[in-house]
Amino acid sequence: MATDLAAAPAADAARDPVRDRGATDIADRVVAKIAAQAAREALDRVPKGGSKPHASVVVHRDAARVAVTLELDYPSDVGRQCGAVRSRVRSRVEHLVGLEVHEVTVDVERLHSAHTRDDTPRGRLS
């Protein structure tokens, strides 16, 4: 009986507790929604008349590549805001989903100027 007890710990050590728990698959569209929300959190604000950030994600095994499309106010520090979006998206996806994020690309689709948002008529006054 002593030999059976001595063999039991060796059998337990050979088991991988992570694999024994199973696997969880998270759809790409779910990761994209998390990335878009993280991009909104990172921005100072969504421009008036602009659309919220959108994200697309490609997941391969335990790694993700994220592409974020957004609109910004003009004038603004575009580089700082894009850097903040990259950082926030990477940290939130890695923390919430557990995927390693290899790349976050940010595409600024449109800049919104206060002059283009002005609703007053332009041109000659009569």
Side-chain angles (χ1 to χ4, degrees), residues 63-86:
R65 294 186 189 284
V66 181
V68 178
T69 303
L70 50 86
E71 299 179 8
L72 297 174
D73 275 328
Y74 180 83
S76 66
D77 188 346
V78 175
R80 181 190 60 78
Q81 288 191 347
C82 289
V85 166
R86 274 188 213 92

Side-chain angles (χ1 to χ4, degrees), residues 31 34-35 38 62-64 66 86-104:
V31 180
I34 292 170
D62 292 334
V66 181
R86 274 188 213 92
S87 176
R88 181 71 174 181
V89 167
R90 174 174 278 119
S91 68
R92 296 297 284 168
V93 169
E94 287 178 350
H95 176 73
L96 293 174
V97 183
L99 294 173
E100 185 177 337
V101 179
H102 287 292
E103 179 181 2
V104 178

